[in-house]
């Protein structure tokens, strides 16, 4: 099964808003898992993933701010 989450052309501001909200949901997911677990390795893995997501969002915002044009966003979730 596939879910077409995004498929369209968005302004720079809309693109930042969409990406920020999607990444924030994923960060909250990891934060919730951290509060539920006690294994140090898994906590470190999730903390590193959060840092990577934050860095990727930062990098994306810099790119979007430079170009100041519309962006085509396409995101599909595939359930296997």
């Amino acid at each position: 099964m596939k879910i077409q989450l995004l498929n369209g052309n968005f302004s720079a501001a809309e693109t930042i808003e969409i990406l920020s909200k999607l990444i924030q949901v994923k960060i909250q997911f990891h934060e919730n898992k951290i509060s539920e677990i006690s294994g140090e390795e898994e906590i470190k893995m999730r903390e590193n993933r959060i840092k990577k997501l934050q860095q990727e969002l930062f990098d994306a915002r810099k790119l979007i701010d430079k170009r100041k044009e519309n962006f085509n966003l396409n995101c599909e979730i595939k359930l296997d």
Side-chain angles (χ1 to χ4, degrees):
M1 175 181 181
K2 294 179 184 178
I3 300 169
Q4 186 68 43
L5 193 58
L6 288 169
N7 187 16
N9 204 10
F10 301 90
S11 71
E14 291 170 328
T15 300
I16 289 172
E17 180 181 2
I18 291 168
L19 289 176
S20 296
K21 288 182 179 184
L22 287 171
I23 290 173
Q24 187 55 41
V25 166
K26 186 62 178 181
I27 287 171
Q28 286 174 342
F29 172 81
H30 284 295
E31 289 172 341
N32 290 340
K33 289 295 183 182
I34 287 171
S35 68
E36 296 172 2
I37 58 176
S38 60
E40 190 174 325
E41 278 186 44
E42 189 173 352
I43 289 172
K44 282 188 178 243
M45 180 273 302
R46 292 188 184 280
E47 287 173 341
N48 287 335
R49 184 64 185 130
I50 289 169
K51 288 176 188 172
K52 185 171 191 229
L53 287 165
Q54 290 169 332
Q55 183 62 50
E56 288 173 339
L57 178 58
F58 177 79
D59 294 342
R61 290 180 84 137
K62 283 192 334 188
L63 171 73
I64 293 164
D65 284 341
K66 275 184 188 176
R67 289 180 42 192
K68 299 272 188 214
E69 59 188 49
N70 286 356
F71 289 83
N72 185 34
L73 299 180
N74 187 356
C75 177
E76 181 178 87
I77 296 174
K78 183 177 172 187
L79 302 173
D80 290 327

